[in-house]
Amino acid sequence: DMHGERDVLTRIVFPELKERCKKKKINLVEVDLRWGVTEEESQLGKSIQLCLDEVERCRPFFIGMLGDRYGWAPAQYEVPQHERFHWLNNYPTGRSITELEMYSAGLNNPAVAKQQGGTFFYIRDTNALNDVPKEQKKYFEAGDVTAKGKMDNLKKTIKESGLPVFDYPAKWHGVVDGKPMIGGLDKFGERVFNDLWGAICKQFPEEESN
């Protein structure tokens, strides 16, 4: 349900960030955790491990986007018996991979994530669905009451974490190349750019000239 947001990131935000990073001699590589996991890896139960490993590799940078759709939740958390995954033993079951990623990225220790300054959350205004045609709403809605409850709880946890959160406006755009798209994302794109560029500059400050 985030085709519109991803389009803004890949066409506008990331290219501009890469250009600015080049001037700092930094190579910026974006990682989309909804892409890149093969069907074979998913069938072998490696989805959670791969996604959480990528979160760790990208640290301290992480952006989490939420609409109303909760996402796929595995019945079991199949991960190697490694110390970095031990927290999953006590985490509530039936939670989406997206939630696990967000917990690992910062919700497990908001104070540390806030100090590092690279974790940001973006929550789409629910009113964006008001004009979505009935036949397209299934691609954006939670799915059922249970999923909606989990999503509401996740948003509440994020907003109470003390980490940066931006509630952004959006509106129905239409179906583009077979994909239902949310548009009106100028403020979203601008905020993501400013957040990430600020975090990058903090992580890689300009060297003072003698």
Side-chain angles (χ1 to χ4, degrees):
D1 64 328
M2 289 283 174
H3 292 305
E5 285 84 351
R6 284 184 169 84
D7 191 51
V8 169
L9 294 178
T10 57
R11 289 193 307 104
I12 301 173
V13 176
F14 291 145
E16 178 61 26
L17 282 174
K18 288 181 179 182
E19 284 299 313
R20 289 203 183 187
C21 283
K22 283 182 182 179
K23 296 177 182 179
K24 287 175 143 309
K25 298 182 180 179
I26 298 170
N27 184 30
L28 175 68
V29 179
E30 71 273 27
V31 176
D32 189 328
L33 293 173
R34 296 286 73 80
W35 300 339
V37 178
T38 67
E39 183 178 354
E40 179 183 4
E41 289 167 336
S42 180
Q43 291 175 349
L44 291 174
K46 293 185 177 181
S47 296
I48 298 176
Q49 177 189 348
L50 290 170
C51 289
L52 295 185
D53 281 347
E54 286 299 322
V55 169
E56 190 63 34
R57 287 179 59 198
C58 292
R59 198 175 299 278
F61 304 107
F62 179 89
I63 61 173
M65 306 178 300
L66 291 176
D68 290 87
R69 192 175 181 85
Y70 185 62
W72 177 66
Q76 298 179 349
Y77 304 144
E78 298 180 4
V79 292
Q81 291 300 313
H82 190 280
E83 183 179 356
R84 69 180 184 275
F85 299 123
H86 284 177
W87 61 272
L88 285 167
N89 294 330
N90 300 315
Y91 203 78
T93 58
R95 297 304 192 265
S96 69
I97 289 185
T98 297
E99 178 170 336
L100 301 182
E101 292 163 354
M102 292 180 173
Y103 184 84
S104 179
L107 297 180
N108 59 339
N109 199 331
V112 171
K114 189 173 182 178
Q115 184 180 28
Q116 291 175 338
T119 300
F120 306 96
F121 294 98
Y122 308 90
I123 299 178
R124 182 199 295 152
D125 185 353
T126 301
N127 290 325
L129 302 186
N130 290 346
D131 296 325
V132 176
K134 184 177 180 180
E135 64 273 15
Q136 300 292 344
K137 279 197 173 182
K138 62 182 179 181
Y139 297 110
F140 297 95
E141 294 177 330
D144 55 42
V145 175
T146 300
K148 185 180 185 306
K150 292 177 181 177
M151 177 60 91
D152 289 344
N153 184 67
L154 176 57
K155 289 179 179 178
K156 182 174 182 289
T157 300
I158 290 171
K159 291 184 176 182
E160 293 177 351
S161 69
L163 291 167
V165 185
F166 180 54
D167 293 278
Y168 63 93
K171 60 184 179 182
W172 172 243
H173 180 66
V175 178
V176 180
D177 295 330
K179 299 176 181 178
M181 303 274 277
I182 290 293
L185 298 168
D186 292 347
K187 291 185 178 180
F188 163 79
E190 181 180 355
R191 181 60 177 264
V192 175
F193 178 86
N194 289 333
D195 285 343
L196 284 179
W197 180 239
I200 291 169
C201 290
K202 179 181 177 182
Q203 190 74 13
F204 302 97
E206 295 286 348
E207 294 183 2
E208 295 184 4
S209 59
N210 294 329

